[in-house]
Amino acid sequence: MKSAIAFIAAALCVASTLCGCTHLSRAEAVPATLTDSARPAEATVVRFWPERDQSRALEIAESASARERNALIRRGQSAEHLPPASYLALSSGGDDGAFAAGLLVGWTCRGDRPEFNVVTGVSAGALIAPFAFLGPQYDSVLRTVSSRIERRDILHRRSFLAMLTSDGMADDRPLASIIKKYVDENMLRDVARAYSQGRLLFIGTTDLDVRQLVVWDMGAIAFRGDAAALDLFRKIMLASTAIPGVFPPVMIDVEADGKHYQEMHVDGAVLTQVFLQIGPESRERHFYVIRNGRIDPQWGSTERRATAVAHRALDALVDREALDDIHRIQLLAQQDGADLNIAYIDSAFNYPHRSLFAGDYMQHLFEYSYRLAARGYRWSKSLPGGEAPALAINR
């Protein structure tokens, strides 16, 4: 998301001067009193709002533990004590998502990449998360979408006239086509199979009406196994990458109290750059957090221009939000006694980043992180600065 801030700033400038020129219709938004009871059509418990109610998150985690125990018993193993668990959290980052993709594929080459019990993703991380969740057999997809796709394959800038009558500066159909190509019936069945074994895949979107993060249980959606489930799965992936002002929001039909409503979802990174969700089980845990971006502040001379100032300020805000989110995970690891491992783009990578989703930049970043992981990546045990500050955390 970070590298797309300039587009957001420009979109805000356009919107401010053209406010009132057009109005796109939508179905009625879910009333505030029905937010918690709204469900996608024919769905059961497939999501939760971390800031509103953790009881559903607990229900999902307990159900996953029961499925994992049953899977162990079916394999003739003891289910009295659950084996060590590995958790992967993939951050936002726009075209810097190539970093996580290269790291994962290189990790496979190294030969010690674990099977993750839980994978979470936001924005760019949401595009990677399902394939990271499914393991090495999907590494070819990670390589293709992260190092062989260019800007024209992801977005088409709309004409100025089209911008006046739309809800996004760019057309999201190219990105939707990529998602449709790789998220197919076979992939959905693979996610459902992993879900039946007690593994969890979470993707975060931002519900603009509620102005809160929504965490979707993608395995539960996949487990439904029908065309509607596949369509919803794809919509959520698209929504988590829908940068406000750049891409159109994704409208999701829901039902509440016997009535049809429509929710407006955008990029999960609007509220959260990276998150981790764990269950109540007492077991050995290993947390892996991949920050698709840098940790150290990047110096730059800022032009005295409205969009440049807005770009730089929002850039700084995104960086600070990412650090705060990782600090929360660091605090969670300390409280849980978990082994924490953090990866991020370091200062040794200095290939020029001339434009958003530039193919050469993404390819070089993918190959850079791939080489690091194939040789044995040196994970950081904490962010620079040592102990995590006393921040509130969502468990």
Side-chain angles (χ1 to χ4, degrees):
M1 179 180 176
K2 175 181 174 182
S3 55
I5 296 295
F7 284 120
I8 297 176
L12 291 175
C13 291
V14 172
S16 65
T17 58
L18 300 173
C19 183
C21 292
T22 186
H23 176 73
L24 299 177
S25 63
R26 60 169 290 187
E28 183 182 351
V30 179
T33 55
L34 296 178
T35 295
D36 293 328
S37 61
R39 299 280 190 278
E42 301 177 1
T44 53
V45 180
V46 296
R47 63 183 186 173
F48 59 93
W49 285 259
E51 296 179 29
R52 295 174 67 90
D53 185 6
Q54 281 287 305
S55 62
R56 287 186 189 171
L58 182 61
E59 178 184 342
I60 289 171
E62 290 177 340
S63 178
S65 293
R67 293 194 304 275
E68 184 178 1
R69 291 178 189 279
N70 289 336
L72 289 171
I73 292 171
R74 287 195 300 270
R75 293 195 295 266
Q77 299 174 260
S78 172
E80 183 178 357
H81 301 290
L82 292 177
S86 295
Y87 296 71
L88 175 65
L90 298 163
S91 85
S92 63
D95 50 10
D96 281 338
F99 174 74
L103 200 68
L104 288 162
V105 177
W107 200 353
T108 298
C109 180
R110 168 81 175 177
D112 56 355
R113 174 178 160 186
E115 179 180 80
F116 299 107
N117 299 70
V118 178
V119 176
T120 70
V122 173
S123 195
L127 291 178
I128 299 168
F131 308 108
F133 178 71
L134 292 174
Q137 65 268 33
Y138 281 87
D139 280 0
S140 60
V141 178
L142 288 179
R143 180 179 287 276
T144 297
V145 300
S146 300
S147 65
R148 298 175 186 171
I149 286 178
E150 300 197 14
R151 178 173 173 169
R152 66 176 178 271
D153 302 312
I154 297 174
L155 60 86
H156 292 162
R157 284 258 198 125
R158 286 173 168 155
S159 67
F160 183 75
L161 181 61
M163 290 181 194
L164 302 185
T165 57
S166 68
D167 49 5
M169 296 176 64
D171 188 343
D172 65 356
R173 283 179 293 182
L175 180 56
S177 294
I178 292 174
I179 293 173
K180 184 177 181 179
K181 178 179 179 179
Y182 293 107
V183 179
D184 57 14
E185 292 85 355
N186 290 331
M187 188 261 207
L188 201 72
R189 281 194 291 270
D190 289 342
V191 173
R193 189 177 302 113
Y195 172 82
S196 70
Q197 296 169 356
R199 296 171 57 212
L200 293 168
L201 171 62
F202 294 126
I203 286 179
T205 65
T206 297
D207 183 334
L208 274 187
D209 296 318
V210 183
R211 295 204 298 182
Q212 289 188 13
L213 179 73
V214 180
V215 176
W216 296 84
D217 183 354
M218 304 299 283
I221 295 170
F223 197 71
R224 288 170 51 189
D226 55 15
L230 180 59
D231 181 62
L232 181 59
F233 198 105
R234 291 167 172 167
K235 276 187 175 181
I236 292 165
M237 289 185 65
L238 186 63
S240 190
T241 60
I243 304 166
V246 179
F247 288 124
V250 174
M251 309 306 297
I252 295 180
D253 294 313
V254 297
E255 295 176 358
D257 198 23
K259 186 177 178 181
H260 169 256
Y261 297 99
Q262 209 170 46
E263 297 175 342
M264 180 181 289
H265 289 259
V266 298
D267 197 330
V270 169
L271 296 175
T272 301
Q273 299 299 309
V274 62
F275 72 97
L276 195 62
Q277 193 71 35
I278 70 171
E281 291 285 353
S282 176
R283 64 197 298 184
E284 180 184 331
R285 304 180 200 256
H286 301 271
F287 295 169
Y288 297 93
V289 180
I290 301 181
R291 160 68 176 146
N292 290 307
R294 300 181 185 272
I295 296 297
D296 52 314
Q298 298 296 296
W299 184 90
S301 177
T302 308
E303 296 179 52
R304 291 191 64 180
R305 197 162 38 88
T307 54
V309 172
H311 176 200
R312 188 68 175 167
L314 290 171
D315 219 12
L317 179 64
V318 168
D319 281 345
R320 173 49 57 187
E321 185 181 65
L323 289 175
D324 286 348
D325 288 339
I326 297 174
H327 274 133
R328 287 185 176 88
I329 295 174
Q330 187 172 323
L331 181 58
L332 176 62
Q334 291 171 0
Q335 294 180 348
D336 198 63
D339 167 48
L340 177 63
N341 303 273
I342 305 170
Y344 51 86
I345 302 173
D346 58 38
S347 58
F349 181 76
N350 54 15
Y351 190 84
H353 194 184
R354 296 185 178 89
S355 64
L356 180 64
F357 297 115
D360 60 334
Y361 174 83
M362 295 173 65
Q363 183 174 357
H364 277 81
L365 180 55
F366 179 95
E367 295 299 336
Y368 175 75
S369 58
Y370 173 87
R371 290 193 300 270
L372 289 179
R375 292 196 298 260
Y377 188 77
R378 297 182 63 181
W379 296 84
S380 299
K381 294 299 181 181
S382 66
L383 286 174
E387 294 297 310
L391 298 171
I393 62 172
N394 286 322
R395 196 182 175 87

